[in-house]
Each structure stands twice: as structure tokens, then as C-alpha cells.
Amino acid sequence: MVGLLGKKLGMTQVFDENGRVTPVTVLQIEPNLVVGERTRDKNGYNSVILGAEKGTNISKPVLGQFPDGTEPRKEVVEVRDFDGEYTVGESIGIELFDNIRYVDVVGLSKGKGYQGVMKRHGFSGGRKTHGSKFHRANGSTGLAASPSKVFKGTKMPGRMGHDRVTMQNLQIVRVDQERGVLFIKGSVPGVRQGFVLIKRAKKKG
Amino acid sequence: MDTVRSIEQEQMKNEDELDFRVGDVVKVHFRIIEGKTERIQVFEGLCIAMKNAGISRTFTVRKMSYGVGVERVFPIHSPRVQKVEVVRNGRVRRAKLYYIRERVGKAAKVSERIKRKESKTVTPASD
């Protein structure tokens, strides 16, 4: 597994050599700092802790985990079973993606607020016309006298979005080392200027 | 957002090459790739609309082909649109000439725009 933190800059389109248009998301990857590591002997598993985006006003408990002589970072993430040897204090750049064609992207989806059951869970809803009085309501939430309760986890209206979402098998269209940006085909979860974790695709070479 | 801009800017064509307006009769030289061979097809017709959307800016060309109206939408900045030649300048008072679709014959005509000598013609709204 390899992965890096990146920032979503926005979407645009690129033309390929045949003039075909590909919609792409532009992700900026500044060199990630190796903040720490976990080893099998000491912690029971292997992983690398990465930090991105230099920042100020970082609380002391967070500040404590950065090695001496490095600037603290705002975003910190742990990637398990990181391929290759890296020492604490080192930086990993965008070159990591040079030979990778597909990636998984983990992000925090946009918050949608309080939503009904049709948008939130994809319920069909009822007819709009022909005397129908059932439009966008959720309908029945369960059985009657037995069990005389609504089961936990029943799909109902509520807060939607702002979830951790992983999108798998996204194609890398281009790696632009000069600008330090990655072009990924299609969309990626989250707001612009938001952070995403980009990992090598688990299910696709 | 500036990085995204610069990426788009890189792929965009020069504004001067695209000196045509809605209402003009244009010849679009469109590159067609068939397997390994490449040739250029010319599509001539009236430019009836332009959608200004940065890199994804497009224009619509309409022509009558064997009595049937044919419309094609071209992305202006596509490398497959090699060049756009203006055959005739038209004088129109709309940005979108969709009303032409309902008209045939003389009613579907656009009168000619006479260019003044001194003042340079204004290029269509850019982004």
C-alpha cells in the first residue's frame, strides 16, 4: 500500500491526443512529511504517519507528535503497510504515483444537511398527481403489535453527507510533476481545498 | 483555483484565431481520425449559438443537408477543430439563433453584416 495526502483544487477537462475530452479532478500533492512510524515489534502492526500542509495554531497535544526540527502540519494521517523504507523526517513527493495507473481516493463528502428519504436513501416516493396524497414521505417504518417497535438502523430522514467516502479504481490521467498536481478521471469526494488521501488502487493494478 | 486556471489556459487556443460571431456562415475544418489515417472534413453552415464556458466553450453550426437540418456542436478549444473560416458575416440581434430552426427558405436567411473599415470588429465575448 502506498498513499499520500493531497488537496482537491477543483475540476476541469483535458483533451487527449485524439481530441477526446476527459473530465478530471485536479489534486495538489505537496511533499508529505513522514511524521512517525509504527512497527510490528513495537506496536503490533506496520504503518507510516504522514503530515501535509504547514500550519500555525496547532494545539500542543498534536504538536507533540512531530519530530524535532520539522514544521508542524495541519493534516495527519496513518497509512498501514506502507511499501518502501522511509525514515521519520523524510518527505515523500508526487513521484510516488509515477508508475501507478489507478488509485482509491478517500475524502470527506460534502455536507448536504437534513434530507428526506428520497435523496438520502434513494426511496422511490409516490405519484405527484392523479389524486395521490403520498409524495416524498418515507411510508411504513416497520411492523405492528409485534414487535411494536421500530428496528434500529431503519432508513429515515436525517443528516446527509459529511461522511468518510472511498472511491475506488479512479484512473490517473496525468502526473504533472512541475506543478505538483495529479489529474484523476472523474470526481472525488469533498469540497474544493479539502484534503483527500490518495492510495494505490486495492483492486486494480 | 489558479492552478486549475493555468491548466486550462495551456490548452486554450489563441483568441485571434477564433474571430467569428453568432450569425456568421463558417467553415469548420474538423480532423477525423479513422484508424491510422487522418483527414480533414469541412462542415459549412450558420453559427447559431455559442456557449461560453472557459475551456469547455462550444459553438453550434447548422446547415441544410438534402433538405434536412443538421446541427453540430464543436468544442472550440478541441485540437480536432483545426480552424474556423468565416465565409460570410451575418447581422443578427440575438445571441442564440434557435428561431432559425422553425424557418425554411428565405425566412431562414440572415442579412449580411458590413464591416466598417476603421474600427476593428469586436471579437465575441471571451472568458
Side-chain angles (χ1 to χ4, degrees):
Chain A
M1 184 57 58
V2 294
L4 283 181
L5 277 168
K7 196 195 250 178
K8 175 174 167 179
L9 291 184
M11 287 191 75
T12 181
Q13 62 177 42
V14 291
F15 293 100
D16 68 4
E17 62 276 11
N18 291 327
R20 217 169 278 148
V21 170
T22 312
V24 293
T25 306
V26 183
L27 299 174
Q28 183 157 51
I29 300 176
E30 271 156 7
N32 283 199
L33 178 75
V34 179
V35 176
E37 57 185 350
R38 301 278 181 265
T39 55
R40 171 131 288 205
D41 304 337
K42 213 171 157 196
N43 312 90
Y45 66 98
N46 291 316
S47 83
V48 160
I49 299 163
L50 300 170
E53 184 96 341
K54 286 168 192 161
T56 49
N57 293 337
I58 293 168
S59 69
K60 282 207 169 158
V62 178
L63 210 56
Q65 56 180 322
F66 296 99
D68 293 336
T70 58
E71 274 183 78
R73 310 292 157 126
K74 274 192 207 158
E75 294 290 319
V76 178
V77 76
E78 186 172 324
V79 182
R80 278 209 175 204
D81 300 318
F82 206 96
D83 297 337
E85 287 289 315
Y86 293 100
T87 51
V88 173
E90 213 179 325
S91 278
I92 314 174
I94 196 169
E95 309 84 59
L96 197 71
F97 291 104
D98 272 348
N99 298 314
I100 296 177
R101 287 180 58 217
Y102 290 94
V103 288
D104 297 340
V105 177
V106 186
L108 206 58
S109 66
K110 277 186 185 175
K112 305 279 190 293
Y114 191 96
Q115 293 299 335
V117 102
M118 282 178 71
K119 188 181 171 95
R120 193 173 183 222
H121 299 296
F123 282 17
S124 313
R127 298 183 86 164
K128 283 179 183 165
T129 55
H130 290 279
S132 169
K133 289 177 183 171
F134 179 71
H135 303 300
R136 299 184 64 94
N138 54 355
S140 167
T141 54
L143 291 67
S146 153
S148 82
K149 65 169 183 179
V150 174
F151 289 116
K152 279 187 177 168
T154 303
K155 289 172 179 175
M156 282 197 230
R159 287 274 181 94
M160 184 183 169
H162 203 259
D163 303 312
R164 182 189 156 103
V165 175
T166 305
M167 282 184 79
Q168 295 184 321
N169 307 330
L170 301 176
Q171 192 191 326
I172 293 184
V173 177
R174 199 186 297 165
V175 181
D176 190 336
Q177 302 234 10
E178 222 172 276
R179 291 198 181 91
V181 295
L182 208 61
F183 291 58
I184 285 175
K185 185 174 175 179
S187 58
V188 148
V191 292
R192 283 191 296 261
Q193 302 292 325
F195 279 88
V196 288
L197 176 63
I198 308 140
K199 299 197 278 191
R200 178 193 283 145
K202 205 170 186 177
K203 297 177 182 168
K204 220 168 179 178
Chain B
M1 213 55 209
D2 286 340
T3 314
V4 178
R5 272 279 157 74
S6 71
I7 290 160
E8 288 176 349
Q9 212 71 45
E10 227 168 60
Q11 301 181 79
M12 284 208 223
K13 288 178 188 166
N14 201 341
E15 278 304 321
D16 310 335
E17 292 172 41
L18 312 162
D19 191 14
F20 66 99
R21 290 196 206 177
V22 168
D24 292 354
V25 174
V26 291
K27 267 185 187 169
V28 184
H29 294 250
F30 196 64
R31 205 175 281 151
I32 292 192
I33 298 144
E34 290 163 325
K36 279 190 182 143
T37 54
E38 207 184 285
R39 64 193 176 84
I40 283 162
Q41 198 182 57
V42 180
F43 190 90
E44 184 178 345
L46 179 70
C47 177
I48 62 164
M50 219 178 273
K51 197 178 110 185
N52 295 321
I55 182 74
S56 48
R57 186 174 168 196
T58 60
F59 64 100
T60 307
V61 180
R62 179 181 173 86
K63 75 166 175 186
M64 294 304 281
S65 177
Y66 301 104
V68 182
V70 177
E71 275 178 26
R72 271 192 87 164
V73 183
F74 297 98
I76 281 194
H77 297 292
S78 166
R80 287 179 68 185
V81 175
Q82 204 182 36
K83 65 171 174 180
V84 183
E85 243 179 276
V86 179
V87 180
R88 190 171 162 271
N89 290 307
R91 197 188 78 95
V92 289
R93 300 170 74 166
R94 312 251 168 281
K96 306 277 190 273
L97 309 180
Y98 297 138
Y99 66 89
I100 293 267
R101 290 170 178 166
E102 272 103 59
R103 300 196 182 172
V104 277
K106 207 172 174 183
K109 254 188 75 142
V110 170
S111 61
E112 181 135 12
R113 170 163 54 97
I114 289 114
K115 275 189 184 175
R116 265 195 231 127
K117 263 183 195 170
E118 303 279 300
S119 61
K120 238 185 93 190
T121 42
V122 195
T123 42
S126 61
D127 3 87

